[in-house]
């Protein structure tokens, strides 16, 4: 069996994170910081990437009501978040989501691989 794991989480144009790359440890990764620093957005981004349907996304933050269209930085029309997934030694795919700052615009999931045939086995 292959040792597949999430290698990193990247953000582009995300509120409180703008352009960041977070390397994730294979066993445990902790996000620490003061209130309002953006820890919950990290968890929300993981849910948005994996679920990719606004109807089924439920944010875990109790303190304030979050709307998906508020996740992009205030001066961005769109924001992106993606996971780099290690599928083999020196082999990766990226799975991610494009989030619009406009209400009513669907989430746009995407995959980046070295081959355009998505029916191939990873």
């Amino acid at each position: 069996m292959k040792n597949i794991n999430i290698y990193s989480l990247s953000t582009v144009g995300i509120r409180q994170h703008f352009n960041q790359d977070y390397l994730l440890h294979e066993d445990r990764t902790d996000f620490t910081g003061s209130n309002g620093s953006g820890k919950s957005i990290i968890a929300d981004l993981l849910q948005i990437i994996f679920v990719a349907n606004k109807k089924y996304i439920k944010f875990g933050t109790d303190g304030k009501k979050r709307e998906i269209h508020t996740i992009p930085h205030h001066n961005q029309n769109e924001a992106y978040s993606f996971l780099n997934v290690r599928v083999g030694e020196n082999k990766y795919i990226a799975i991610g989501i494009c989030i619009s700052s406009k209400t009513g615009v669907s989430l746009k999931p995407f995959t980046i691989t070295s081959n355009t045939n998505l029916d191939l086995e990873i």
Side-chain angles (χ1 to χ4, degrees):
M1 181 172 160
K2 293 181 182 178
N3 187 14
I4 296 174
N5 68 303
I6 298 173
Y7 179 77
S8 65
L9 169 73
S10 297
T11 62
V12 178
I14 300 288
R15 182 170 43 92
Q16 295 175 281
H17 295 276
F18 207 68
N19 298 335
Q20 292 292 323
D21 295 308
Y22 298 103
L23 297 179
L24 304 178
H25 191 273
E26 290 182 18
D27 295 325
R28 176 180 171 165
T29 299
D30 298 317
F31 288 94
T32 62
S34 59
N35 288 345
S37 63
K39 299 179 302 292
S40 295
I41 289 177
I42 296 294
D44 294 341
L45 290 172
L46 291 171
Q47 182 181 185
I48 292 167
I49 290 169
F50 287 118
V51 175
N53 185 328
K54 290 181 181 182
K55 184 166 87 174
Y56 298 111
I57 293 170
K58 306 283 186 244
F59 295 123
T61 49
D62 293 331
K64 58 183 166 182
K65 176 119 169 80
R66 178 169 291 146
E67 300 289 334
I68 290 176
H69 69 274
T70 66
I71 289 176
H73 194 268
H74 67 85
N75 63 354
Q76 300 287 311
N77 291 325
E78 294 179 326
Y80 301 86
S81 186
F82 55 93
L83 298 171
N84 289 297
V85 181
R86 184 183 354 226
V87 295
E89 190 169 334
N90 296 319
K91 293 183 180 181
Y92 298 83
I93 63 169
I95 59 171
I97 200 82
C98 173
I99 305 166
S100 175
S101 62
K102 297 178 178 128
T103 58
V105 176
S106 297
L107 296 169
K108 298 177 219 157
F110 61 87
T111 304
I112 301 171
T113 67
S114 63
N115 193 310
T116 58
N117 183 352
L118 296 179
D119 293 326
L120 293 176
E121 191 173 310
I122 295 175

